[in-house]
Amino acid sequence: MAKRLIFLGPPGAGKGTQAEIISENHQIPHISTGDILRAAVVQQTPLGKQAKDYMNRGELVPDVLILNLIQDRLGYEDAVNGWILDGFPRNVNQAAFLEELLAKLEQNADCVLNLEVPDEVLVSRLLARKRKDDNESTIRRRLEVYHQDTVPVIDFYQQRSTLKTIDGDRPPEEVTEQLCSAIV
Ligand code: AP5
């Protein structure tokens, strides 16, 4: 059965870590807008050049750069039998766009999984990782942007009864177990 999953959660919640595992288990692609953007920055594509400064500041990249990217990616052949979206949607406009796109593709999401982790745990996880945007000021800004723009996406899916909340402040294996139970 196709699995179409959306992973929500703040920076450092473990979306990418868990999406890798579930993607492997279910043989479905892990679609991370952050990974796509970082690859574009490294390759210095027009998208990467436009996105770079926003990412370094911890701001969201403008929707106009993201929406086409997602539309194209969900059209790839490997996405026919399911996918995991990690890092998208990031605001209510992206969520509404996705809802319309999935209705057109006749591919509604099966489940939205929201990983909850306290802010201070997130900050220490991210400082330990040392990605380019993992410095204290950018992390704080990413968290502010998360609370301002992405938390309303949780309400968006709560109203549609597709949301399940997972305690992400547990060892990774326990988080995987919770996710596996939630998506059967
Ligand atoms: P993005 O790449 O999406 O970054 P993010 O949301 O900040 O997510 P992270 O990768 O930091 O966290 P994660 O939840 O995936 O955690 P992870 O598994 O890596 O976005 C980066 C930037 O791109 C944005 O700021 C924005 O500019 C732009 N962007 C991306 N998408 C966009 C969109 N849709 N619209 C506009 N702009 C967009 O884990 C983090 C660390 O914690 C790792 O070291 C990991 O080993 C560790 N860890 C994981 N789980 C656990 C655990 N259970 N216990 C202890 N440690 C753990």
Side-chain angles (χ1 to χ4, degrees):
M1 190 188 127
K3 284 263 180 268
R4 300 187 182 98
L5 309 172
I6 298 173
F7 281 16
L8 295 182
K15 304 180 296 293
T17 304
Q18 296 297 331
E20 280 297 311
I21 298 166
I22 306 288
S23 145
E24 180 78 28
N25 288 353
H26 288 274
Q27 292 293 296
I28 49 177
H30 166 204
I31 301 175
S32 155
T33 42
D35 286 349
I36 294 170
L37 289 169
R38 276 184 290 279
V41 170
V42 170
Q43 289 157 18
Q44 300 186 15
T45 66
L47 170 67
K49 286 180 187 163
Q50 292 178 83
K52 187 177 174 187
D53 288 344
Y54 292 99
M55 296 173 78
N56 287 342
R57 289 198 305 270
E59 304 289 343
L60 292 185
V61 170
D63 288 352
V64 67
L65 297 178
I66 297 286
L67 300 180
N68 283 343
L69 179 161
I70 276 292
Q71 182 158 1
D72 286 352
R73 183 62 187 87
L74 289 178
Y76 285 19
E77 207 178 316
D78 69 346
V80 172
N81 290 324
W83 32 256
I84 301 174
L85 288 183
D86 159 15
F88 183 95
R90 243 353 198 267
N91 59 31
V92 170
N93 186 47
Q94 293 183 7
F97 174 87
L98 180 66
E99 187 171 60
E100 211 171 291
L101 173 64
L102 294 179
K104 262 192 245 159
L105 296 171
E106 297 182 359
Q107 286 196 7
N108 290 329
D110 296 308
C111 193
V112 181
L113 297 142
N114 180 35
L115 293 175
E116 283 189 337
V117 178
D119 280 7
E120 291 319 307
V121 175
L122 300 169
V123 173
S124 63
R125 281 187 191 177
L126 294 175
L127 284 174
R129 182 176 61 181
K130 296 186 170 68
R131 200 169 72 191
K132 190 153 195 291
D133 55 349
D134 289 339
N135 57 77
E136 183 126 23
S137 64
T138 306
I139 292 168
R140 294 278 173 206
R141 182 62 193 143
R142 282 158 63 199
L143 285 172
E144 277 172 15
V145 168
Y146 169 77
H147 287 291
Q148 180 188 301
D149 292 337
T150 312
V151 167
V153 176
I154 298 173
D155 299 336
F156 179 96
Y157 287 116
Q158 230 152 14
Q159 285 164 20
R160 286 154 179 79
S161 312
T162 42
L163 188 91
K164 293 187 183 168
T165 298
I166 304 291
D167 180 5
D169 190 16
R170 308 289 313 156
E173 310 73 43
E174 286 185 30
V175 179
T176 308
E177 275 173 33
Q178 291 183 66
L179 285 166
C180 290
S181 313
I183 63 183
V184 284

